[in-house]
Amino acid sequence: MLTPDDLMAKGVGVITSDRPVVIVDDDRFYMASVLAEFLANAGLEVTFVTPTAVVSPWSENTLEQDRIQRRLVEKNVAIMPLNKLADMSDETLTLACTYTGATHEIACGKLVMVTSRTPNDALWHGLEAVKDRWADAGRLPS
């Protein structure tokens, strides 16, 4: 199992199987689609699993969703909408329909989980400690 950080730090060299790389997008923003395109460009077989009806639904707000999904289709990424991860073994994933719960298995060499991430909020908390020094910043005199 890999994370987006694993792929960004180590590249496609972390993919050692000739079986499909499966990206499970539980984030629904853009990261999973970027990684799918990155892996497809490297010549890997990629399956994109999403619990939504389309790839990267948040990108509908920026009018990019259709271009993102079209690009993945053109790169032969297998898109499996309306599915979520239910179980896994060494060589397969069990997916469940988001509506019915009906399950089926797919081949998987490496799994990339794109989910919510722990924020790096150290700067915010550091500023909290000194906020009293900024109390009058930007205020007009009375």
Side-chain angles (χ1 to χ4, degrees):
M1 185 180 312
L2 301 170
T3 67
D5 291 330
D6 294 328
L7 287 175
M8 289 184 279
K10 301 171 188 166
V12 295
V14 295
I15 310 294
T16 55
S17 173
D18 59 352
R19 297 173 60 79
V21 178
V22 179
I23 296 178
V24 173
D25 180 19
D26 202 27
D27 179 54
R28 304 175 190 191
F29 287 88
Y30 64 91
M31 181 62 70
S33 64
V34 169
L35 294 174
E37 185 172 350
F38 171 69
L39 294 170
N41 284 342
L44 298 171
E45 183 181 348
V46 181
T47 301
F48 189 102
V49 176
T50 178
T52 63
V54 297
V55 169
S56 302
W58 186 86
S59 63
E60 290 174 341
N61 298 315
T62 58
L63 305 177
E64 299 171 286
Q65 191 285 323
D66 60 331
R67 288 181 293 191
I68 291 169
Q69 188 153 342
R70 184 179 320 113
R71 204 164 45 237
L72 294 182
V73 170
E74 289 168 353
K75 294 183 178 297
N76 296 315
V77 172
I79 299 171
M80 303 192 74
L82 302 172
N83 279 279
K84 59 186 175 179
L85 183 62
D87 200 0
M88 57 191 283
S89 70
D90 289 340
E91 296 184 356
T92 62
L93 298 179
T94 302
L95 303 180
C97 172
T98 57
Y99 291 120
T100 66
T103 61
H104 63 280
E105 289 187 349
I106 62 170
C108 178
K110 280 288 186 185
L111 172 62
V112 180
M113 293 295 297
V114 182
T115 62
S116 61
R117 302 170 77 195
T118 304
N120 180 354
D121 55 4
L123 177 61
W124 171 254
H125 289 295
L127 291 172
E128 272 292 304
V130 295
K131 73 179 178 181
D132 58 322
R133 294 185 209 169
W134 296 68
D136 292 328
R139 292 190 188 168
L140 295 173
S142 308

